[in-house]
């Protein structure tokens, strides 16, 4: 058996959480990541039949039965993952009943997965129903995106349109736009269900006055989506109070989307 602490998926989680912490997006225990792993790859590092303990997940995720995830721990700080991955991360398999997590590694101090597991697993199910390659769900509290929530209407079309206007590449990176949820109580099945509903349509979902969810094939791709939104939100927050002299026109955004061949939300432009 190879050393789990050297597994590429543990290494990537360490680097990603450290990077996000350094960006200032994941204060204290803010943020959480779930990544569906390849069973054969995990089996090189762990006996996937040796269960440390079982943890009820509080809802049914039947469609994910048998799938293995690496997930950040609840109450754990992204800044600490690098030095102690075995306490701050966990790897578990969803049991056949779809309601239990079978812990294979991690949460060493007796901890458990993020309190946002409903939003994560329900989003995985929603994304997999439209994209079989989806593997990652990421939640974080990016500073400018959050700031923008307080001064911009929380309307999907208007919010997406403003973001698209802020950087030329936005419409190419997230042509599907961003879904927006109003403020809701976090850590619940309800916010999980609402997020998953949006995830059928969007790979990015704003949680009003809380943060953002992203979904993608890899950690890099998912981070890249959120990073692009955050950059656009930063430009918005740096310019919103100043007179606007120039802008990217809707006709130019259409030109971009057509040139790069992306399937964009045409109803989010005013043409
Ligand atoms: P956890 O510590 O349970 O992952 O929660 C952090 C968070 O961002 C809640 O939305
Ligand atoms: Zn949060």
């Amino acid at each position: 058996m190879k050393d789990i602490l050297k597994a590429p998926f543990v290494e990537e989680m360490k680097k990603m959480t450290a990077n996000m912490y350094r960006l200032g997006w994941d204060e204290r225990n803010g943020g959480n990541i779930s990544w569906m792993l390849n069973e054969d790859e995990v089996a090189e590092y762990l006996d996937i039949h040796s269960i440390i303990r079982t943890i009820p997940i509080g809802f049914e995720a039947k469609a994910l039965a048998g799938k293995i995830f690496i997930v950040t721990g609840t109450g754990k700080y992204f800044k600490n993952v690098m030095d102690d991955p075995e306490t701050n991360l966990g790897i578990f398999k969803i049991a056949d009943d779809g309601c239990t997590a079978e812990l294979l590694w991690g949460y060493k101090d007796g901890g458990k997965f993020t309190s946002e597991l409903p939003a994560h697993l329900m989003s995985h199910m929603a994304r997999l129903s439209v994209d079989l390659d989806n593997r990652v769900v990421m939640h974080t509290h990016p500073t400018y995106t959050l700031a923008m929530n307080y001064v911009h209407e929380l309307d999907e079309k208007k919010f997406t349109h403003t973001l698209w206007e802020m950087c030329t590449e936005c419409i190419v990176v997230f042509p599907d736009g961003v879904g927006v949820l109003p403020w809701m109580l976090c850590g619940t099945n309800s916010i999980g269900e609402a997020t998953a509903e949006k995830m059928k349509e969007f790979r990015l979902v704003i949680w009003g006055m809380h943060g953002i969810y992203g979904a993608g094939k890899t950690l890099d791709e998912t981070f890249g989506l959120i990073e692009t939104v955050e950059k656009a939100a930063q430009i918005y927050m740096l310019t919103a109070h100043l007179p606007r002299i120039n802008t990217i026109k809707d006709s130019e955004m259409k030109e971009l989307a057509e040139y790069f061949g992306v399937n964009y939300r045409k109803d989010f432009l005013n043409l």
Side-chain angles (χ1 to χ4, degrees):
M1 209 61 83
K2 296 194 213 167
D3 180 2
I4 181 79
L5 292 173
K6 296 203 168 68
F9 44 83
V10 172
E11 287 288 348
E12 263 200 73
M13 287 289 278
K14 282 161 59 179
K15 285 186 199 150
M16 184 55 73
T17 47
N19 180 39
M20 291 169 77
Y21 171 69
R22 286 283 161 221
L23 286 167
W25 298 357
D26 297 283
E27 74 291 342
R28 201 174 181 272
N29 63 312
N32 22 78
I33 302 175
S34 61
W35 181 7
M36 193 169 81
L37 302 175
N38 182 314
E39 182 176 317
D40 293 338
E41 198 183 351
V42 179
E44 292 176 30
Y45 299 91
L46 295 172
D47 174 358
I48 57 167
H49 302 291
S50 172
I51 299 164
I52 300 169
R53 58 194 159 95
T54 58
I55 315 171
I57 64 176
F59 58 96
E60 200 187 275
K62 253 298 197 293
L64 298 176
K67 302 288 187 203
I68 297 176
F69 290 88
I70 185 164
V71 181
T72 51
T74 185
K76 298 297 189 265
Y77 297 18
F78 273 22
K79 92 181 166 59
N80 295 337
V81 175
M82 184 62 92
D83 290 333
D84 189 0
E86 197 171 352
T87 301
N88 295 291
L89 302 174
I91 296 177
F92 58 81
K93 188 176 195 164
I94 307 293
D96 292 340
D97 65 1
C99 299
T100 314
E102 299 176 337
L103 186 65
L104 305 176
W105 176 82
Y107 307 141
K108 200 174 74 177
D109 60 352
K112 64 179 217 170
F113 43 72
T114 173
S115 60
E116 305 294 4
L117 198 72
H120 280 260
L121 294 190
M122 291 179 196
S123 293
H124 275 282
M125 292 190 276
R127 286 310 304 164
L128 286 168
S129 72
V130 290
D131 176 7
L132 281 174
D133 294 327
N134 194 87
R135 290 192 162 261
V136 173
V137 173
M138 189 180 275
H139 166 61
T140 178
H141 305 160
T143 313
Y144 292 94
T145 305
L146 201 39
M148 187 172 160
N149 277 215
Y150 291 87
V151 298
H152 193 286
E153 268 178 273
L154 291 176
D155 169 90
E156 271 158 11
K157 174 175 173 170
K158 290 180 184 161
F159 204 92
T160 299
H161 190 272
T162 299
L163 292 173
W164 281 353
E165 276 181 314
M166 292 299 127
C167 311
T168 292
E169 293 188 353
C170 277
I171 195 169
V172 181
V173 174
F174 53 96
D176 39 348
V178 296
V180 178
L181 288 176
W183 184 91
M184 288 178 77
L185 187 61
C186 56
T188 61
N189 286 351
S190 311
I191 201 169
E193 284 153 13
T195 310
E197 199 47 44
K198 293 286 180 201
M199 282 279 181
K200 290 179 188 159
E201 217 181 318
F202 301 101
R203 292 170 299 157
L204 289 157
V205 180
I206 302 277
W207 274 11
M209 288 149 293
H210 179 141
I212 191 167
Y213 268 76
K217 297 172 180 51
T218 61
L219 283 186
D220 247 8
E221 184 194 56
T222 313
F223 172 79
L225 283 171
I226 296 175
E227 182 184 33
T228 307
V229 167
E230 174 64 356
K231 178 64 177 275
Q234 181 174 7
I235 308 291
Y236 177 77
M237 292 309 296
L238 288 170
T239 56
H241 57 294
L242 301 171
R244 179 90 69 91
I245 311 288
N246 300 305
T247 198
I248 304 172
K249 298 186 195 74
D250 283 35
S251 59
E252 291 166 336
M253 291 195 255
K254 177 172 182 274
E255 203 181 329
L256 271 164
E258 286 174 358
Y259 181 75
F260 287 97
V262 293
N263 187 15
Y264 67 107
R265 281 291 296 253
K266 296 176 184 60
D267 56 326
F268 283 5
L269 288 183
N270 302 309
L271 286 166

